[in-house]
Amino acid sequence: GESVGLHLPTLSVQEGDNSIINCAYSNSASDYFIWYKQESGKGPQFIIDIRSNMDKRQGQRVTVLLNKTVKHLSLQIAATQPGDSAVYFCAETLYNFNKFYFGSGTKLNVKP
Amino acid sequence: DVKVTQSSRYLVKRTGEKVFLECVQDMDHENMFWYRQDPGLGLRLIYFSYDVKMKEKGDIPEGYSVSREKKERFSLILESASTNQTSMYLCASSPGLQEDGYTFGSGTRLTVV
C-alpha cells in the first residue's frame, strides 16, 4: 500500500537543523523498506534501506526508524544541507516479491 | 555505476499519436519497470518485466503496452496518446535481488496536446 494524497507535503527547515520525514505504509506484511531521494529533474536515488526485523538503521547523516506497530517509517537527516533539498519517497515491498510500492513523497526545502 | 538511460528528457506529442519511450540499462539486470509520476500521486507502476519477452501488468496498464526484445531494453508504448497521459515517466531496473532496490533513469516528461 501507499500513502496517497492530492497534495505533496512540504517540510521547510533551516540549514544545519535536523529533518524528520515521515511515511505511513498500509501493508503490515511488508518486510523491506527503502527511502529514495529525488532531486529536481532527476530520477529517484537510493538513500537507505531497512528490513522489518530491525527498528533502526543508520547511514551517513541519515537514520531510518521503523515502527511496525503503527506501520510508520521515518527518515532523519542530521545537519540538513541545501543539497538535501529534494522530494523524498518511502517504498515498501514483500519478501521475495521485488515489486515496490511507493509513497507519494515529501518535499524538503532547506533554507540557507 | 549502473546506468539507466531514457532516450528523451522531454517529449511533446499530439493526441492520437503512437508514442515510444525507450529505456536501456547497462548492467545486465533481470528486472525492468515503467512508472508514471504525477503530483500528489507518487509513482504508479504501469508495466514490468522479469525477463526478455516477458511482461506483466502493473497497477495502471490501460492505454499502454511494452516490449522487451532484448534484456537491456524495455520500451513503453502509448498506442494512441491522450491528454491524461501527460506525465513524468520513469524507467527502473533491478538485478532481481530484493535488497538492491531499483536504479532509476532520469525520466521523460511527456506532454500530450
Side-chain angles (χ1 to χ4, degrees):
Chain A
E2 58 181 357
S3 172
V4 175
L6 296 177
H7 304 286
L8 192 64
T10 300
L11 174 67
S12 293
V13 299
Q14 206 69 38
E15 182 179 357
D17 287 351
N18 297 332
S19 302
I20 300 176
I21 300 170
N22 296 304
C23 175
Y25 65 94
S26 58
N27 190 345
S28 57
S30 292
D31 68 344
Y32 181 54
F33 306 86
I34 295 178
W35 277 100
Y36 286 90
K37 172 185 180 183
Q38 186 177 21
E39 297 176 89
S40 180
K42 298 182 179 179
Q45 290 182 295
F46 176 101
I47 302 174
I48 191 168
D49 60 354
I50 189 167
R51 297 296 302 265
S52 60
N53 60 355
M54 303 170 69
D55 297 322
K56 178 180 179 178
R57 190 164 188 216
Q58 286 185 291
Q60 188 176 13
R61 278 202 311 119
V62 294
T63 300
V64 55
L65 298 177
L66 174 62
N67 185 331
K68 295 180 287 292
T69 302
V70 294
K71 291 183 288 188
H72 184 266
L73 202 64
S74 69
L75 177 70
Q76 300 178 358
I77 305 173
T80 313
Q81 302 169 359
D84 295 327
S85 292
V87 176
Y88 290 82
F89 298 93
C90 65
E92 61 179 289
T93 192
L94 299 170
Y95 178 74
N96 231 11
F97 194 43
N98 199 27
K99 190 169 80 167
F100 285 86
Y101 293 93
F102 291 82
S104 55
T106 296
K107 185 174 183 180
L108 177 65
N109 286 329
V110 181
K111 296 175 286 188
Chain B
D1 281 354
V2 175
K3 282 195 73 174
V4 178
T5 303
Q6 295 183 230
S7 54
S8 303
R9 290 298 301 274
Y10 300 96
L11 276 178
V12 180
K13 296 292 182 180
R14 294 191 180 279
T15 300
E17 276 193 79
K18 190 169 185 175
V19 181
F20 293 85
L21 303 183
E22 305 289 347
C23 176
V24 177
Q25 50 94 3
D26 64 0
M27 287 299 290
D28 202 36
H29 281 180
E30 302 292 330
N31 307 322
M32 297 188 75
F33 305 82
W34 275 106
Y35 285 86
R36 64 177 282 176
Q37 182 177 28
D38 300 288
L41 296 178
L43 277 69
R44 293 181 291 168
L45 181 63
I46 305 171
Y47 267 96
F48 60 102
S49 170
Y50 286 156
D51 202 353
V52 175
K53 296 191 186 293
M54 177 273 179
K55 60 186 179 184
E56 287 196 31
K57 293 179 179 179
D59 300 316
I60 52 164
E62 296 79 17
Y64 304 94
S65 62
V66 289
S67 173
R68 193 159 181 208
E69 295 297 317
K70 294 184 178 180
K71 191 175 186 179
E72 67 270 20
R73 185 180 295 270
F74 192 36
S75 303
L76 180 68
I77 303 156
L78 286 67
E79 297 291 342
S80 178
S82 63
T83 54
N84 63 12
Q85 292 178 309
T86 292
S87 186
M88 169 69 83
Y89 290 87
L90 289 165
C91 176
S93 72
S94 74
L97 299 174
Q98 183 192 41
E99 294 189 355
D100 291 300
Y102 292 171
T103 300
F104 284 89
S106 296
T108 296
R109 183 163 293 282
L110 172 67
T111 302
V112 182
V113 297

